[in-house]
Amino acid sequence: MTDGPPQRLQVDWPRCRARGLCHELLPEAIGIDPWGYPVVEQALPADMVRAAREAVRVCPLSALHLRDS
Amino acid sequence: MTPRPRILPGPWLLRTSRPDLATHRATHGELPTMTLARLQEVIGTGQVRGRGGAGFPFATKLGAVAGRRGRRHVVINFSEGEPVSHKDLALALNAPHLVLDGACISAQALDVRTIQLVLPRERHDLRDAIELALAERRRHDPRSRVRWDLHLAAPRFVSGEASAVTELIAGRTPLPVTSWEPTAMSGVRGRPTLLSNAETFAHVAALVLPGGDGYAALGTPEEPGTTLLTLVHGPEDIEVVEVPHGSPWEDVLTAEQACEPLLLGGYHGTWVPAGGLRGQLVSRAALASQGLALGAGVVMPLPRDTCPLELTAQLLRYLAAQSAGRCGPCLNGLPALAHAFEQAVAGLPGSDLDELTSHLVGRGACAHPDGTVRLVRSALLAFPEEAQSHSHGNCLTSGRVRESVR
């Protein structure tokens, strides 16, 4: 696990097309709204950063970002 | 075509109704030369806050732009997203050189030669007024190094939003995009950009021009100076007034209006319950302490014999239609919210409003969903009796008992 500033997921909303891969991969940190779009409100627990990176990587539209919170 | 507002004479920005450069110079004096440090000092004491709606301190913005290296941009935003706001039009018609002076002094301090102007495409009177003012300046000082670039924004609610404006200037589709950093740090083509509302620049000029002491003496020590307000008495009856901060609302509203509910800030604003502004002052701080905001300065008393909830339902339909349709939560959520609100007003079952609004806040490239949610929440807060009555199929205004449909 890498130490560093706390990280959070952010969505590039105009890019997101609700494909839902991120939610399937990391339901603990990425919820889903009634229309299928991701809900990523809280800061990310440190032990989820690796899985979050994977979610960012697999997004087919490159709409998910991991940034310093 | 939108109506032309009545522009009332005011204590500073609207002191004269003659827009020509000679009158402007005779009234406000010559524009001084200022270093960035000096400008920051003057603006800092004047505590100019952005007048586009968000109320962000101008000095902080200026400092953030100045703190970044490389080519910078200065942008005057005349594109009033709020459809009933007419204050920037009033400035263009009566005091365009104040706005242009405010931008000039800022550009000079930031070593920017070209000033970008964003004008609403559909307001020909505003465009003509600005082009006339720019032509006057070129004639008066043909050797000036300042260049002016005009851009026309489409008539839609989100066109005046910061990232839509920077996209327009960059020559891309002029709709909001995700900005990971503030416009001041990364605006037009990723460059540091001082983007402010036209009125904001006019207040900067009021502080900087000789005789600015008189301006700062208006208002209160905490909120020096004045603010422009658009008073919407009716769809065709619109006034723009300039009032010193700290003025009683009774100076602005008629006795009757002060007793009625009113919408403050615009369609992205907050409802004030009946009589809510009586004994209160025109002050951003005082309003904020009550959960209210001046926003873009729109003051819209509830028209006679109008149900505030039915009017809110109409505004929501409009706002939902104004979505750029780019961000999923806004594209799907605003129509759903408008529909759910309509159902509630009709006393019919529908989606839970609290839950729907929670799906919208902070989930878009611009603040359109947030502003729309603000309107809904304030309506429910300001009119609990009306909401209760509607839930039983009754309207307190029209007295109608609605048919309950299964």
Side-chain angles (χ1 to χ4, degrees), chain B residues 324-346:
Chain B
R326 282 188 156 185
C327 306
C330 183
L331 170 69
N332 294 281
L334 290 200
L337 182 62
H339 180 70
F341 198 89
E342 241 164 55
Q343 291 288 103
V345 167

Side-chain angles (χ1 to χ4, degrees), chain A residues 35-56:
Chain A
W35 310 288
Y37 291 86
V39 179
V40 290
E41 311 228 322
Q42 316 82 349
L44 207 58
D47 61 354
M48 283 189 197
V49 171
R50 271 182 75 122
R53 276 208 193 96
E54 181 62 10
V56 167

